[in-house]
Structures are given as structure tokens and as C-alpha cells.
Amino acid sequence: MVTRKEILIAGQVQGVGFRPAVHRLAVQLNLTGFVYNNTRGVVIELQGENSKVIEFLKRLNGADAPPLAKITSCTTLDLEPVKQEQGFVIKQSDAGGTPVSRVTADMATCADCLRELFDKNDFRYRYPFINCTNCGPRYSIIKTIPYDRPNTTMAEFRMCDKCAGQYREITDRRFHAQPVACPNCGPKIWLTYNKDNTIQTGTDKVIAQTMQLLKEGKILAIKGVGGFHLAVDAFNEAAVRRLRQRKRREHKPFAMMADSIETIEQNAIVNPEAEKLLKSPESPIVLLLKKPGSAIAASVAEGVGAFGFMLPYAPLHHLLFAEGLKILVMTSANVSDEPLICKNDEALELLGNIADAFLMHDRVIYRQVDDSIVHFIDDTPALIRRSRGYVPTPVLIKEISTVDVFAAGSDLKNTFCFVKGSQLLCSEHIGDLEDAKVYHHYLKSIEHLRKLFEVQPKIIACDLHPSYLSSRYAHSLADVKLIEVQHHWAHIASVIAEYGIEKPVIGLACDGTGYGTDGAIWGCECLVATLDNFERVGHLAYYPLPGGDAASKEPIRPLIGLLMQAYDKEFDLDNMQWLLEPIEPDRAKQEMICEQIRKNINTVQTSSLGRVFDAVAVILGLGNYNHFEAQLPMALEAVTDPGCEKRYDFELIAQSGKPATLNLRITLQQILTNVSEKIESSIVAAKFHNTIASALFEMAKAVHQAKGLNTVALSGGVFCNRFLTDRLIRLLKKDSFSVLLNRDFPANDGCISVGQAAIAVKRINSDYKEKTHGKNIR
């Protein structure tokens, strides 16, 4: 019996060789019809014996799907057979309609292309831009969808006959591979000191000269897939220090790229899951615990317990490492915390005082994308920064939004998010908006992604904080409905959205700062939450935080606030000089901070757990300034003794009709006693971590007893602390709690836009349901 079906496939199905796979399978099964891309995904019309059509669908959703394809829905519609139809063809893409399909992320060089790269008999031998339908650039080169060559930055490179032949040959791995090119027709590399002084051209000479400069300790700006890296020999201490000085990044750890897993294993602990992640098509930076005795330059990652490693993910990287170097520092090419540089002219202008030479190429990067960062929580991967390899892959939500939504995100570690139908389209990592260039990049990025998916937001979600730049931008938009979302609710909502949870959860949201509904600065919160609403059922007891934004940099400020709270009337500045003078020798400044607190001048009440970590770190002498966000908490985690199970005392105070409060007064006093007794810092740090884990566990346990809830959602930057989070999860699971935490999105403020968006969609649909039932909406 001959049947004909229309098949609509959505998901990650464009730019991954899906149409060629459909064609090959249809021809193999002697089916007729056609396939084409449209703005919703892939459309197939298929005709033939019913048993063959059924087999086609089974195999396409199984073993015959392209390696990078991810099918999220496959719907079929019966059609009338077409008489005398001959063959199966790939039709031209349809650009009409509303784009809701997935644009594919940039992917690491596949094994087949890598083999060809070093095959002397292949015409792409040692070609730095080799790719196929299973690998190579996607998001970084696309201007608009559908994903076809004219809509990418490869449009300017006209394919030669060989490449065009492979591009048109249905059975070839490069059939309709949009970035396909070769040495005769594609992009090229060169080495230069500046725009008027080219050092070397020709791939082999450029690669050899580049590596010679690196071996000499020079700093190279290397253009990659999503932007430039600044590279130095990771074993050369003088070179690494010179890079730090020139880049004005004195403290923050550098990422590294190694030639192989074996080399990484010589310097860090690599478990099977980490190895799998390092070798994955996404190829992120993976944080791995350091091994003692590593020969890597000390200044690469001082004051932290882990190295950030990645493997070569572009053909150019593989060619460089084939020259003999084992490990390179490969840090984002920018000045301080400004946006990643991706344009050749900007690199020469802005990096001229940093890089000694530039390895350039002429494939335009339309969209700069940082390297993604992953670490392991409870032995399972969790993103810390979501960018290359993961963006713009959307998250599908259960509810379909009837209108387009924009969520502005947070000001720190910003991402923003659009909602279109059932898809959350979260941007890549943008950065901290207080930097003017980052804020400008934020505005441009919003417009780019909006146009890419033809989003027309009618609902805008933003943070409750009135001074956030992201919130101010949201308030500036005309003809939209604005929904303000409390920061920590957004944190928990991001977990709810990621896991599709519909019932209430116990939300533990812990970070450095978030504007509360009472005007205080929240930062250690226990919530009962859904996407509809939340109830604050517990929090860290408020303490005074003087100095505004300076308090996040200068730990002396939260420390004095905590000491004055802990000792109350017994607090004596003279008696605390044994502790405070090494931290802040300026006695006048100490007294000024005390006076600020007493007179409530530029002082807020806060429940920030992040600032408590700062205070404990500075008590232990691990530093007296946060040169980058969470520097001191990271140092505190790094010195923690994993074998210590002891903890300090704390008070969890239940209050009738009010949220319970966690008071760390006794904890702080006991820490100071241990320090005065010269107890090892590693033990004090471990006991403090264990105390916080136990206190959070007890808060969750109290909510369970009161409300019968058994699912705990963890979110917030404090839960980027692996030691703390693993200890807390262990306690919760031992007591039969179900524990959820951010994995597909960062636990830090990179997840805020996702939570805001999910709450906004729920609000829209709830309002619509109420209206359709004739109820008044306030």
C-alpha cells in the first residue's frame, strides 16, 4: 500500500547534515518526495510503501540521525499520494514565517576531519578551516536563518569546483556543509606584528613561526572560532606574569589548552566523565582538581584548587599543538573584563600593547562567543559559563507562551533570554554590565538575537533592583508589559524551568547580593517556590553591611559588620586589633566603618552569605581584597581539608508568623577562638563549610516538617563552591530529599534571565486563564 506523509521535525536539525541524512535514507528505502528547511525546522514529504515509511521514521529517530542532531518533536500528517512522482530531492530553504527552530552551536573538529587534516593525500591536508556537517562554526558565523551559506560570513568565499562538488554530492559528508572550503577557495591565516607588517604567510610557515615565538616566551593573539585568545607557554613563569601585567589581570586564573588527555592527567585529576566532556563536540573548559607537583607556572592559577583545561577544538589549534608544545595558556583576548575581541582591526588596535604578534585569519566572526566552563557537582557536570558549544541551544518548557517574552537578566555575569512559543532562548555569557563596553555589547546582543529569531517581545521581565542597568533598560522599553521578579525567586525558578517541576519546591538561594522585597539586600534565602509565587520561610539573620558596592571588594567591611553583630555591646575595636590590623592597617578607616554602621550611613541590612565567606577568608589570612568576583571564597574552598567532618555551632531561630533566621553569631566567635589558638586554616575552613552545609540542611528540614515538601532546589553563586555543595547534597540525600540544581545553566547570575523568563510565561498564561474564566485581573 502506497502512502504519503508530511513530516515536520523540530529541534537541532539545521546545520547538522539533517537534510542529507534524510535524502540518503529515503533513496536507500526507495521512497520519493522532498525535504527542505523552514523557519520551524525541517519539512519532509515522503511517499512509498507504508512499511518503508514506518522504517524511515524509526531509523531517522534512531541510528540514522546525524551525530549532532537533537530531535525534539516529529509530527506526521497523511497526504494524498502524488501520481508518477520520481526520485527524492532536497529543495531550497523556505525563509518565510516565524523562526523558532534551533540554530546550532559551534562544534569541535570531528574525528573524520581531524584524520583528513593530517592526511598528506587529502586536498585539505593541514588546512586550518577544515569542517563538515558534523563539526565546525555555526552560531559564530550565522547572520540570519535559515542556516544556508548566503546567510553566513562564508558567503564571500566562492567554492572551488572540488568543494562545490562535495557540497552538491548527496552521499558526501560535506553535502550542504555551509562553511565548506579548502586552501584554494577558503579563508587563510597569516602572522603579523601590526596591520602594516606581515611576518609570515602560508599555513606551514605561519604555524612554525607562531610556535617558535611561543617557545621564546612571546604573547600571541590567536584568532579562533568565537574570538581571539591570548596565548603563552603555560610552563614559562615569566611569560605568564608578563601576560598578567599587560592584560591587567593580576589574580584571576587563566584557562589552558593541552595537546592531549594524557598531558592533562599529568597535572590534574581526570575522571572518565571529565574525559568524556573534554572530548565532546562542545569542548568546554573543564575545572579539574590540581595534582601536586605540577610543572605548570604557579601564576597560571594561584589561590585556587583547580586548573581550567580544554582540548584543541579548531583545526588551527590542532596544527599548532602538532608542532610540539604541550600546554598553552589560552585566555580570552580582552582588556580586563571588557567584551571578547573578535574583529581583526579591533585586535590590532586594542591588543597592540598586550600581544607581541597576531595569528590572524579572514573568516569573519559575526558573533563573538567565549569558551564555556564546566565543573563537577555531586560527580555530575554543571555549567559555570554557558557560551561556545551550548548557545543558542534552547530549553523547551512545558507551557507555550502566547506572546514573545524578553528577560533582561542580572547585572553581574549577565545573560538575557527570549521566549518564543515553548522555547527559552538564552544568550551566551555577556559579562558585568557596569563596564560601559559590556553594556554596549549587551544592547547589541539583544538586538542581534531578536532579529535572528524575529522576536517581538510584548512582555518584559527584569530584576526587582531599581538601580540595575538591566532593569533600567527594561523600564525604558515602550509599549510592553513589565514584570519585576525578585532576584532569588528567579534563581529558584531557573531550576524549576530546567527540570520542568510543577509542584512547590524548597528553594535554597545563596549568593552575594539580591534586592529583597523589604528593601534589604538578600543573599541566603530559604523559599517555598513555584513559577506562580514564592514565600520566604527562612534566611540568614541580617547584619550591617557598610560601604555599598565597596563591600563586595573590601572584606574588612562585612567582617566588621559581622563582628559588631556577633559581639553586640561587647564589641571593642581595641581588643580586635590582633585580627583587624593585619587586614586593614589604617585605624582611621576601621573607625570610619564602625561609625558608618552605628549611624547607619551608607549601610544596608543584608543576609548575604557571599560576604560571610569573604569575612571568613580574610580572618584566615587568605587575602584582604576581592580583585575579581568570589576570589576570597575560592581561596577559602581551596585550603579546605576534605577529611574534616567537624563543624561549628549555629542558631536556627523559628519565629511565629515570620521567616526563620539563621544566626552565625556563635559560629563567628568559635572561628576567632580557633584562629587565636593557631588551629590550621584548612581545619577552620572545613568546619566553616560544614557549618553552612548543616545550617542549610536544617532549614530545608524545618520546611519539610512544616509543609511536607521533599524536593530541594539549589541555586546562586555560593553553590559554585564544590566542597560546600557536595556536602549539602550529601546531607539532603541521606535524609531522602530529592535535590535539583542548575546544570544546563550556571548556578550564578547567568541563570537569572531563565528564571525571569519562566516566571513571566507562567504569569501570562495564568492571566489568560483567569480572563477566559471571567475573573478580574489586578
Side-chain angles (χ1 to χ4, degrees):
M1 177 182 174
V2 174
T3 61
R4 186 178 186 87
K5 290 184 182 294
E6 181 184 61
I7 305 166
L8 306 175
I9 299 178
Q12 187 170 292
V13 290
Q14 293 192 15
V16 295
F18 201 87
R19 289 175 297 169
V22 167
H23 184 278
R24 287 192 292 270
L25 185 55
V27 171
Q28 184 180 341
L29 295 175
N30 199 30
L31 298 169
T32 63
F34 55 83
V35 59
Y36 64 91
N37 283 345
N38 72 0
T39 53
R40 299 188 65 84
V42 170
V43 180
I44 306 167
E45 284 200 19
L46 199 65
Q47 181 170 305
E49 290 294 328
N50 189 54
S51 61
K52 296 292 186 181
V53 172
I54 293 172
E55 182 182 350
F56 173 92
L57 289 169
K58 183 178 180 180
R59 289 172 59 178
L60 188 64
N61 281 277
D64 285 69
L68 298 180
K70 294 179 182 177
I71 297 174
T72 57
S73 69
C74 179
T75 60
T76 62
L77 178 68
D78 290 330
L79 301 174
E80 286 294 321
V82 175
K83 294 181 180 180
Q84 298 181 340
E85 185 178 51
Q86 300 292 320
F88 191 94
V89 297
I90 296 178
K91 286 190 173 183
Q92 186 174 350
S93 298
D94 175 15
T98 303
V100 295
S101 64
R102 294 187 177 185
V103 176
T104 315
D106 304 300
M107 293 297 176
T109 308
C110 70
D112 288 329
C113 284
L114 192 58
R115 175 180 48 79
E116 293 170 348
L117 182 66
F118 293 104
D119 181 356
K120 293 181 179 179
N121 297 316
D122 193 282
F123 74 98
R124 292 190 183 88
Y125 173 59
R126 293 180 63 81
Y127 181 54
F129 303 96
I130 191 170
N131 66 83
C132 69
T133 55
N134 299 326
C135 68
R138 301 288 197 279
Y139 180 58
S140 60
I141 64 170
I142 190 170
K143 297 179 178 180
T144 187
I145 60 172
Y147 177 65
D148 287 322
R149 195 177 182 104
N151 293 332
T152 74
T153 59
M154 286 297 295
E156 63 184 272
F157 298 99
R158 184 174 181 179
M159 286 183 280
C160 66
D161 290 343
K162 278 188 176 182
C163 288
Q166 290 181 325
Y167 182 87
R168 290 191 296 264
E169 175 52 55
I170 296 171
T171 61
D172 197 280
R173 199 175 81 251
R174 293 185 173 87
F175 179 63
H176 284 202
Q178 306 308 333
V180 68
C182 75
N184 292 324
C185 64
K188 292 177 172 54
I189 62 172
W190 67 94
L191 190 66
T192 185
Y193 287 129
N194 55 56
K195 62 182 67 177
D196 299 317
N197 188 3
T198 298
I199 304 170
Q200 199 62 263
T201 58
T203 297
D204 289 347
K205 291 180 180 179
V206 168
I207 296 296
Q209 184 68 26
T210 298
M211 294 311 289
Q212 182 58 41
L213 290 171
L214 288 166
K215 289 176 182 178
E216 293 172 1
K218 303 296 185 184
I219 299 170
L220 270 289
I222 299 174
K223 188 177 181 181
V225 174
F228 280 83
H229 285 106
L230 289 168
V232 293
D233 182 354
F235 297 104
N236 188 325
E237 177 68 25
V240 176
R241 288 194 176 277
R242 189 161 56 252
L243 174 58
R244 286 202 176 279
Q245 181 182 14
R246 292 184 186 179
K247 197 185 178 194
R248 291 183 288 169
R249 183 169 161 175
E250 296 295 332
H251 302 276
K252 197 173 183 180
F254 284 141
M256 292 176 286
M257 183 177 284
D259 68 332
S260 65
I261 289 290
E262 291 72 25
T263 297
I264 297 176
E265 286 178 326
Q266 293 171 11
N267 299 278
I269 298 171
V270 184
N271 62 31
E273 280 296 312
E275 179 175 348
K276 181 180 178 182
L277 197 57
L278 286 161
K279 292 179 176 179
S280 70
E282 291 82 7
S283 192
I285 298 166
V286 181
L287 299 187
L288 304 166
L289 292 177
K290 296 177 180 177
K291 278 185 177 178
S294 170
I296 290 172
S299 57
V300 168
E302 287 184 299
V304 294
F307 286 131
F309 272 112
M310 58 183 160
L311 289 174
Y313 58 82
L316 180 60
H317 299 152
H318 288 284
L319 291 173
L320 289 169
F321 278 95
E323 296 296 305
L325 272 184
K326 291 294 184 181
I327 304 176
L328 290 175
V329 166
M330 291 283 271
T331 186
S332 299
N334 56 1
V335 178
S336 190
D337 291 320
E338 292 178 1
L340 177 66
I341 294 167
C342 67
K343 296 179 180 179
N344 292 354
D345 55 348
E346 286 185 0
L348 291 167
E349 178 184 353
L350 299 176
L351 302 176
N353 294 325
I354 301 176
D356 296 307
F358 297 80
L359 175 49
M360 301 284 208
H361 64 71
D362 55 354
R363 184 177 69 200
V364 173
I365 298 171
Y366 192 78
R367 183 74 195 153
Q368 66 240 67
V369 192
D370 275 301
D371 296 314
S372 295
I373 305 175
V374 179
H375 67 163
F376 283 83
I377 297 291
D378 196 29
D379 298 323
T380 306
L383 280 158
I384 294 179
R385 184 169 75 194
R386 184 177 183 267
S387 288
R388 179 188 50 77
Y390 297 90
V391 173
T393 304
V395 166
L396 297 178
I397 54 177
K398 290 185 178 180
E399 297 205 31
I400 298 176
S401 180
T402 55
V403 297
D404 292 351
V405 174
F406 168 69
S410 182
D411 271 21
L412 294 177
K413 290 182 166 52
N414 175 269
T415 64
F416 59 86
C417 186
F418 288 109
V419 182
K420 197 166 188 67
S422 62
Q423 295 190 93
L424 292 176
L425 298 157
C426 185
S427 75
E428 65 274 25
H429 167 80
I430 300 297
D432 297 347
L433 300 188
E434 67 178 2
D435 183 285
K437 290 187 177 181
V438 174
Y439 183 69
H440 182 65
H441 174 54
Y442 169 70
L443 299 180
K444 287 179 62 178
S445 299
I446 292 169
E447 190 64 11
H448 170 71
L449 210 63
R450 188 192 66 77
K451 288 181 178 179
L452 186 62
F453 291 99
E454 294 187 1
V455 181
Q456 297 293 339
K458 298 299 181 184
I459 304 294
I460 309 296
C462 69
D463 196 273
L464 193 63
H465 200 305
S467 297
Y468 269 6
L469 292 169
S470 54
S471 299
R472 290 180 179 180
Y473 169 73
H475 279 267
S476 73
L477 299 174
D479 301 321
V480 294
K481 178 181 178 180
L482 190 69
I483 298 174
E484 293 181 321
V485 180
Q486 199 282 322
H487 187 86
H488 299 93
W489 183 25
H491 265 301
I492 301 305
S494 72
V495 181
I496 294 172
E498 185 173 330
Y499 290 88
I501 302 298
E502 295 180 348
K503 295 181 179 180
V505 300
I506 302 168
L508 295 175
C510 301
D511 57 8
T513 182
Y515 192 74
T517 55
D518 58 357
I521 299 301
W522 294 5
C524 180
E525 310 305 315
C526 183
L527 312 177
V528 172
T530 64
L531 295 180
D532 286 304
N533 52 51
F534 77 94
E535 178 188 1
R536 191 189 196 196
V537 294
H539 61 87
L540 180 65
Y542 286 152
Y543 60 93
L545 187 65
D549 291 340
S552 65
K553 300 287 188 182
E554 302 174 14
I556 187 67
R557 294 177 180 275
L559 175 58
I560 289 178
L562 286 161
L563 290 173
M564 292 179 72
Q565 181 206 52
Y567 290 94
D568 198 16
K569 294 179 181 179
E570 296 178 9
F571 175 79
D572 188 307
L573 198 59
D574 290 332
N575 292 340
M576 286 290 175
Q577 287 309 297
W578 67 273
L579 173 67
L580 298 179
E581 187 175 2
I583 300 168
E584 177 51 74
D586 187 346
R587 178 63 181 265
K589 184 171 182 177
Q590 294 180 28
E591 293 174 349
M592 178 197 71
I593 293 171
C594 292
E595 195 70 5
Q596 277 186 287
I597 294 171
R598 292 192 185 99
K599 294 184 177 180
N600 197 31
I601 299 171
N602 194 25
T603 297
V604 297
Q605 293 298 307
T606 186
S607 58
S608 170
L609 187 56
R611 300 292 78 80
V612 177
F613 273 80
D614 288 346
V616 175
V618 78
I619 288 171
L620 296 182
L622 300 178
N624 58 12
Y625 193 83
N626 270 317
H627 295 88
F628 61 91
E629 187 184 9
Q631 179 185 0
L632 291 174
M634 289 169 67
L636 186 64
E637 180 188 4
V639 302
T640 300
D641 183 349
C644 176
E645 298 289 341
K646 296 180 180 180
R647 67 168 177 84
Y648 298 110
D649 297 322
F650 59 86
E651 296 176 287
L652 185 58
I653 304 167
Q655 302 179 93
S656 179
K658 295 181 180 180
T661 56
L662 169 62
N663 197 307
L664 298 178
R665 176 181 57 86
I666 299 174
T667 306
L668 190 61
Q669 291 175 1
Q670 291 176 346
I671 288 173
L672 295 192
T673 298
N674 275 182
V675 171
S676 67
E677 294 170 346
K678 308 297 183 184
I679 301 297
E680 290 184 12
S681 294
S682 61
I683 299 299
V684 177
K687 290 172 70 177
F688 170 70
H689 279 83
N690 293 338
T691 302
I692 299 303
S694 296
L696 294 172
F697 166 67
E698 291 297 333
M699 292 178 82
K701 193 173 178 180
V703 178
H704 168 70
Q705 292 171 349
K707 297 181 178 291
L709 302 179
N710 202 52
T711 299
V712 178
L714 309 179
S715 188
V718 166
F719 292 121
C720 291
N721 182 314
R722 295 181 293 278
F723 186 95
L724 170 70
T725 311
D726 282 347
R727 290 287 166 105
L728 175 57
I729 291 172
R730 186 178 70 185
L731 290 172
L732 290 165
K733 286 185 174 180
K734 188 177 180 180
D735 209 48
S736 299
F737 282 97
S738 173
V739 185
L740 308 176
L741 66 155
N742 297 108
R743 294 201 182 277
D744 292 341
F745 297 96
N748 57 42
D749 281 5
C751 73
I752 289 293
S753 66
V754 173
Q756 292 171 346
I759 289 168
V761 172
K762 187 68 174 178
R763 180 78 57 83
I764 295 164
N765 290 345
S766 296
D767 286 355
Y768 175 77
K769 288 176 183 178
E770 289 194 26
K771 285 179 179 179
T772 57
H773 284 81
K775 296 181 179 180
N776 293 325
I777 306 299
R778 289 186 178 182

